[in-house]
């Protein structure tokens, strides 16, 4: 079977914006996310491109780097990359079967497709001993499965109306959810589109509460 076929039963859980199951799964896995310093990227548009650019720049500097993005274009394995190589399909199938087996034995809680792949990515990055991972948020930020990472820097590219059923129907509400990736004393880089406006005001409120410094990205 292909990775996509093995993952298909997990899609029934849909989007799970609750960190409880992810936290439990990571704890049961030995907290691999805490062994992997992270660049965490959120935003409505541009987050995939920023993730790819930062990843490539770090690899070019000689670092061993993991990259986690979604969705994929052709193969599920494109979502989990170490240096410039996606996980091998056979290796990914083994990891998916392992998650499914651990779930069946009660070692792991029920996980969505995205949560399962996020767990697999962290396990793979920790096992490979990467120096850093660059991780793209799936939906929102505050309650996204990737938000249990240990970031050294975060980034928010831009804010527009997306996933309003989950994130809210105003730019301020959506920005507040995405700003949920801000962490104490971890700088947050903001895209040029976020210099001012209601989205920036919401981000500043959340970042101030989190004691996260902001850096405005230079205009191109």
């Amino acid at each position: 079977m292909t990775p996509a076929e093995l993952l298909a039963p997990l899609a029934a859980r849909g989007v799970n914006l609750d960190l409880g199951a992810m936290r439990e799964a990571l704890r049961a896995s030995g907290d691999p996310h805490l062994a992997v310093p992270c660049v965490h990227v959120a935003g409505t548009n541009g987050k995939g491109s920023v993730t790819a650019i930062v990843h490539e720049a770090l690899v070019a500097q000689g670092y061993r780097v993991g990259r986690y993005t979604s969705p994929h274009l052709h193969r599920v394995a494109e979502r989990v990359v170490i240096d410039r190589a996606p996980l091998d399909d056979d290796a990914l199938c083994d990891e998916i079967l392992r998650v499914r087996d651990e779930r069946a034995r009660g070692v792991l809680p029920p996980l969505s497709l995205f949560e399962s792949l996020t767990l697999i990515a962290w396990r793979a990055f920790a096992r490979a001993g990467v120096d850093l991972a660059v991780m793209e948020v799936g939906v929102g930020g505050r309650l996204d499965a990737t938000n249990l990472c240990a970031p050294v820097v975060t980034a928010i590219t831009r804010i527009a109306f997306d996933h309003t059923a989950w994130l809210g129907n105003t730019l301020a509400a959506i920005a507040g959810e995405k700003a949920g990736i801000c962490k104490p004393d971890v700088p947050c880089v903001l895209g040029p589109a976020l210099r001012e406006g209601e989205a920036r005001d919401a981000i500043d409120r959340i970042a101030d509460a989190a004691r996260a410094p902001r850096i405005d990205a230079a205009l191109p």
Side-chain angles (χ1 to χ4, degrees), residues 118-137:
T118 305
L119 177 63
I120 287 169
W122 265 318
R123 286 175 167 181
F125 296 156
R127 188 166 55 249
V130 300
D131 298 309
L132 201 69
V134 188
M135 303 189 75
E136 177 190 4
V137 168

Side-chain angles (χ1 to χ4, degrees), residues 9 17 33 42 50 60 95 109 112 123-124 127 140 163 174 180-181 192 210 219:
L17 294 182
H33 60 306
V50 168
E95 292 299 324
S112 69
R123 286 175 167 181
R127 188 166 55 249
H163 300 296
I174 293 168
I181 68 170
L219 289 168

Side-chain angles (χ1 to χ4, degrees), residues 88-130:
D88 177 83
D89 276 356
D90 289 340
L92 180 54
C93 283
D94 288 344
E95 292 299 324
I96 296 168
L97 288 171
R98 179 183 168 198
V99 167
R100 286 176 50 171
D101 174 68
E102 290 174 352
R103 169 66 194 105
R105 292 188 289 112
V107 176
L108 296 178
L111 298 172
S112 69
L113 185 152
F114 185 75
E115 289 170 327
S116 297
L117 284 170
T118 305
L119 177 63
I120 287 169
W122 265 318
R123 286 175 167 181
F125 296 156
R127 188 166 55 249
V130 300

Side-chain angles (χ1 to χ4, degrees), residues 141-154:
R142 181 176 66 92
L143 296 175
D144 189 77
T146 62
N147 200 29
L148 295 174
C149 65
V152 294
V153 63
T154 63

Side-chain angles (χ1 to χ4, degrees), residues 144-211:
D144 189 77
T146 62
N147 200 29
L148 295 174
C149 65
V152 294
V153 63
T154 63
I156 304 173
T157 55
R158 63 182 300 144
I159 303 295
F161 289 99
D162 70 319
H163 300 296
T164 53
W166 296 300
L167 306 181
N169 56 14
T170 67
L171 289 179
I174 293 168
E177 289 296 317
K178 295 182 188 296
I181 68 170
C182 292
K183 302 291 190 299
D185 302 317
V186 175
C188 180
V189 180
L190 301 176
L194 294 172
R195 290 295 173 89
E196 58 185 10
E198 65 176 303
R200 176 57 182 261
D201 291 343
I203 291 170
D204 282 341
R205 284 196 299 272
I206 300 297
D208 284 342
R211 306 190 317 279

